Amino acid sequence: MPTAVNEQLKILVELQKIDSEIYRLKKEAEAHPLLQKKIEEAFDKKKQSLKAVEDELRAAQLKQKEKEMDLQSKEEKVKKLQGQLFSLKTNKEYSAMEMEIKGLKADDSLLEEDILRLLDVVEEVKVKVAKEKEILAVEDKKAKEAIETIKKETAALNAQIAEWEEKRKAYPANVEPRLLTQYERILKSREGLAVVPVVHNACGGCHLGFPPQMLNEIQMQDKVIVCESCARILYWVS
Ligand SMILES: [Zn+2]
């Protein structure tokens, strides 16, 4: 003796409650990987500002090094010229070389000023790098905590889904296979909602209004009636 249609409808209504819950939980769980990705992307962006100041530091250090090497070679040249100074024979040669030495020394003091200025810049940028590193460490901690929370929530959702799926198991046994297949097909194609009540003489799924004759038929509950617009199975709440 097969179960009467109205009884099967009642079972489907119960099954729908469970499936709606499963659908909602799955939707929520599905959004989690995207949330995690957004957190990771935001963190990567923050890493860029550290990289920028680190590049700035490297550039300043390189410039400083170049100036120091320049200074060194000019100082060596001064020493060399000073060594030659006393071997010169004429006053003219002597004063010419003295002029050259003077010029080099003037260059040296300019270079020294540049180097000092660059040292200040390097120190300033080093402070900036340290600050960015501090900020990034805090952000890193925050991002890791947020991802950890998401993972925990995903696990909790999956556990809930498993629980509901366990509860669901008993229901399909009392529904005719053909009706069950129909139900599951609609469930898939209509966002997890296959069985809907009539609300204010209209479909509880898509709100299409029904004529009195159809309302009577739905109320009888002796056959399966679907909404002609959204194809969901209709039931009557008395
Ligand atoms: Zn409908």
Side-chain angles (χ1 to χ4, degrees), residues 203 206 227 229-230:
C203 169
C206 72
C227 169
S229 169
C230 70

Side-chain angles (χ1 to χ4, degrees), residues 198 201-204 208-212 214-215 218 226-228 234:
V198 173
N201 297 336
C203 169
L208 175 77
F210 299 132
M214 189 165 168
L215 290 170
I218 300 165
V226 299
C227 169
E228 54 190 71
L234 300 160

